[in-house]
Short mmCIF file of all heavy atoms in Angstrom, two decimals:
data_model
loop_
_atom_site.label_atom_id
_atom_site.label_comp_id
_atom_site.label_asym_id
_atom_site.label_seq_id
_atom_site.Cartn_x
_atom_site.Cartn_y
_atom_site.Cartn_z
N MET A 1 124.95 -5.51 -30.60
CA MET A 1 124.28 -4.42 -29.91
C MET A 1 123.30 -4.96 -28.87
O MET A 1 123.29 -4.53 -27.72
CB MET A 1 123.54 -3.54 -30.93
CG MET A 1 122.79 -2.38 -30.30
SD MET A 1 121.76 -1.45 -31.49
CE MET A 1 123.02 -0.50 -32.35
N ARG A 2 122.50 -5.92 -29.27
CA ARG A 2 121.52 -6.49 -28.35
C ARG A 2 122.19 -7.24 -27.21
O ARG A 2 121.75 -7.16 -26.05
CB ARG A 2 120.57 -7.42 -29.11
CG ARG A 2 119.68 -6.69 -30.10
CD ARG A 2 118.70 -7.62 -30.79
NE ARG A 2 117.86 -6.89 -31.73
CZ ARG A 2 116.70 -7.34 -32.21
NH1 ARG A 2 116.26 -8.53 -31.85
NH2 ARG A 2 116.00 -6.62 -33.07
N ALA A 3 123.25 -7.96 -27.51
CA ALA A 3 123.95 -8.70 -26.46
C ALA A 3 124.55 -7.76 -25.42
O ALA A 3 124.52 -8.04 -24.21
CB ALA A 3 125.05 -9.57 -27.07
N LEU A 4 125.08 -6.63 -25.87
CA LEU A 4 125.70 -5.69 -24.94
C LEU A 4 124.66 -5.00 -24.06
O LEU A 4 124.89 -4.80 -22.86
CB LEU A 4 126.52 -4.66 -25.71
CG LEU A 4 127.75 -5.19 -26.43
CD1 LEU A 4 128.48 -4.05 -27.15
CD2 LEU A 4 128.71 -5.89 -25.46
N VAL A 5 123.54 -4.62 -24.65
CA VAL A 5 122.52 -3.97 -23.82
C VAL A 5 121.91 -4.98 -22.86
O VAL A 5 121.65 -4.66 -21.69
CB VAL A 5 121.46 -3.27 -24.69
CG1 VAL A 5 120.52 -4.24 -25.37
CG2 VAL A 5 120.67 -2.27 -23.85
N GLN A 6 121.72 -6.22 -23.30
CA GLN A 6 121.19 -7.24 -22.40
C GLN A 6 122.14 -7.50 -21.25
O GLN A 6 121.71 -7.62 -20.08
CB GLN A 6 120.93 -8.55 -23.15
CG GLN A 6 120.35 -9.64 -22.25
CD GLN A 6 119.93 -10.88 -23.02
OE1 GLN A 6 120.00 -10.92 -24.25
NE2 GLN A 6 119.49 -11.90 -22.30
N ALA A 7 123.44 -7.55 -21.52
CA ALA A 7 124.42 -7.77 -20.46
C ALA A 7 124.38 -6.64 -19.44
O ALA A 7 124.46 -6.87 -18.23
CB ALA A 7 125.82 -7.90 -21.06
N GLY A 8 124.27 -5.39 -19.92
CA GLY A 8 124.19 -4.26 -19.00
C GLY A 8 122.95 -4.31 -18.14
O GLY A 8 123.01 -4.05 -16.93
N VAL A 9 121.83 -4.65 -18.75
CA VAL A 9 120.58 -4.76 -17.98
C VAL A 9 120.69 -5.86 -16.93
O VAL A 9 120.28 -5.68 -15.77
CB VAL A 9 119.40 -5.04 -18.93
CG1 VAL A 9 118.15 -5.42 -18.15
CG2 VAL A 9 119.12 -3.83 -19.81
N GLU A 10 121.26 -6.97 -17.29
CA GLU A 10 121.40 -8.07 -16.34
C GLU A 10 122.33 -7.70 -15.19
O GLU A 10 122.09 -8.09 -14.03
CB GLU A 10 121.89 -9.32 -17.06
CG GLU A 10 120.83 -9.92 -17.98
CD GLU A 10 121.36 -11.07 -18.82
OE1 GLU A 10 122.60 -11.28 -18.85
OE2 GLU A 10 120.54 -11.75 -19.48
N GLN A 11 123.40 -6.95 -15.48
CA GLN A 11 124.29 -6.49 -14.41
C GLN A 11 123.52 -5.61 -13.43
O GLN A 11 123.66 -5.73 -12.22
CB GLN A 11 125.45 -5.69 -15.02
CG GLN A 11 126.48 -6.51 -15.73
CD GLN A 11 127.29 -7.39 -14.80
OE1 GLN A 11 127.65 -6.98 -13.70
NE2 GLN A 11 127.59 -8.59 -15.24
N ALA A 12 122.71 -4.72 -13.97
CA ALA A 12 121.96 -3.81 -13.12
C ALA A 12 120.92 -4.56 -12.29
O ALA A 12 120.76 -4.30 -11.09
CB ALA A 12 121.28 -2.75 -13.98
N GLN A 13 120.21 -5.47 -12.91
CA GLN A 13 119.17 -6.21 -12.18
C GLN A 13 119.78 -7.09 -11.09
O GLN A 13 119.17 -7.28 -10.05
CB GLN A 13 118.35 -7.05 -13.15
CG GLN A 13 117.41 -6.20 -14.00
CD GLN A 13 116.48 -7.03 -14.85
OE1 GLN A 13 116.92 -7.97 -15.53
NE2 GLN A 13 115.21 -6.71 -14.85
N ALA A 14 120.98 -7.61 -11.33
CA ALA A 14 121.64 -8.43 -10.32
C ALA A 14 122.00 -7.61 -9.08
O ALA A 14 122.07 -8.13 -7.97
CB ALA A 14 122.89 -9.08 -10.90
N ARG A 15 122.22 -6.32 -9.28
CA ARG A 15 122.62 -5.45 -8.18
C ARG A 15 121.43 -4.76 -7.51
O ARG A 15 121.50 -4.37 -6.34
CB ARG A 15 123.60 -4.40 -8.69
CG ARG A 15 124.16 -3.50 -7.62
CD ARG A 15 125.44 -2.85 -8.07
NE ARG A 15 126.01 -2.01 -7.03
CZ ARG A 15 127.22 -1.49 -7.06
NH1 ARG A 15 128.01 -1.72 -8.09
NH2 ARG A 15 127.67 -0.74 -6.07
N SER A 16 120.35 -4.62 -8.24
CA SER A 16 119.23 -3.82 -7.78
C SER A 16 118.30 -4.61 -6.87
O SER A 16 118.05 -5.80 -7.09
CB SER A 16 118.44 -3.28 -8.97
OG SER A 16 117.35 -2.51 -8.55
N SER A 17 117.74 -3.92 -5.88
CA SER A 17 116.74 -4.53 -5.01
C SER A 17 115.35 -4.48 -5.62
O SER A 17 114.41 -5.08 -5.10
CB SER A 17 116.73 -3.81 -3.65
OG SER A 17 116.45 -2.43 -3.82
N VAL A 18 115.20 -3.76 -6.73
CA VAL A 18 113.94 -3.73 -7.48
C VAL A 18 114.21 -4.16 -8.91
O VAL A 18 115.25 -3.84 -9.49
CB VAL A 18 113.31 -2.32 -7.44
CG1 VAL A 18 112.73 -2.02 -6.07
CG2 VAL A 18 114.32 -1.24 -7.84
N ASP A 19 113.28 -4.90 -9.48
CA ASP A 19 113.49 -5.48 -10.81
C ASP A 19 112.84 -4.70 -11.94
O ASP A 19 113.28 -4.80 -13.08
CB ASP A 19 112.96 -6.92 -10.84
CG ASP A 19 113.77 -7.86 -9.97
OD1 ASP A 19 114.98 -7.61 -9.80
OD2 ASP A 19 113.20 -8.84 -9.47
N ASP A 20 111.76 -3.97 -11.67
CA ASP A 20 111.06 -3.27 -12.73
C ASP A 20 111.96 -2.21 -13.34
O ASP A 20 112.56 -1.41 -12.62
CB ASP A 20 109.80 -2.61 -12.19
CG ASP A 20 108.76 -3.62 -11.77
OD1 ASP A 20 108.84 -4.78 -12.22
OD2 ASP A 20 107.84 -3.25 -11.01
N ILE A 21 112.06 -2.18 -14.68
CA ILE A 21 112.99 -1.27 -15.32
C ILE A 21 112.31 -0.41 -16.39
O ILE A 21 111.29 -0.80 -16.98
CB ILE A 21 114.20 -2.00 -15.94
CG1 ILE A 21 113.79 -2.82 -17.17
CG2 ILE A 21 114.90 -2.86 -14.93
CD1 ILE A 21 114.98 -3.37 -17.94
N ILE A 22 112.89 0.74 -16.61
CA ILE A 22 112.62 1.59 -17.77
C ILE A 22 113.97 1.91 -18.39
O ILE A 22 114.95 2.16 -17.67
CB ILE A 22 111.84 2.86 -17.38
CG1 ILE A 22 110.36 2.49 -17.14
CG2 ILE A 22 111.97 3.94 -18.44
CD1 ILE A 22 109.50 3.62 -16.65
N VAL A 23 114.02 1.90 -19.71
CA VAL A 23 115.27 2.12 -20.43
C VAL A 23 115.19 3.48 -21.13
O VAL A 23 114.21 3.78 -21.80
CB VAL A 23 115.51 1.01 -21.47
CG1 VAL A 23 116.81 1.27 -22.25
CG2 VAL A 23 115.56 -0.35 -20.79
N LYS A 24 116.24 4.28 -20.96
CA LYS A 24 116.32 5.58 -21.63
C LYS A 24 117.66 5.68 -22.34
O LYS A 24 118.66 5.11 -21.90
CB LYS A 24 116.19 6.73 -20.62
CG LYS A 24 117.31 6.77 -19.60
CD LYS A 24 117.18 7.91 -18.61
CE LYS A 24 117.39 9.25 -19.23
NZ LYS A 24 117.55 10.32 -18.20
N GLY A 25 117.68 6.42 -23.44
CA GLY A 25 118.92 6.60 -24.17
C GLY A 25 119.02 7.97 -24.76
O GLY A 25 118.01 8.63 -25.04
#
């Protein structure tokens, strides 16, 4: 579970021009 959410976050940060994140579910 943690590996999958971390991978998704990393994909998003690699694409985003801003790094600060908030996570919602």
Side-chain angles (χ1 to χ4, degrees):
M1 179 186 284
R2 293 183 180 199
L4 294 180
V5 73
Q6 181 173 356
V9 170
E10 290 173 350
Q11 287 291 321
Q13 287 186 312
R15 184 160 182 169
S16 179
S17 59
V18 287
D19 292 331
D20 292 341
I21 70 171
I22 283 176
V23 179
K24 63 180 291 193

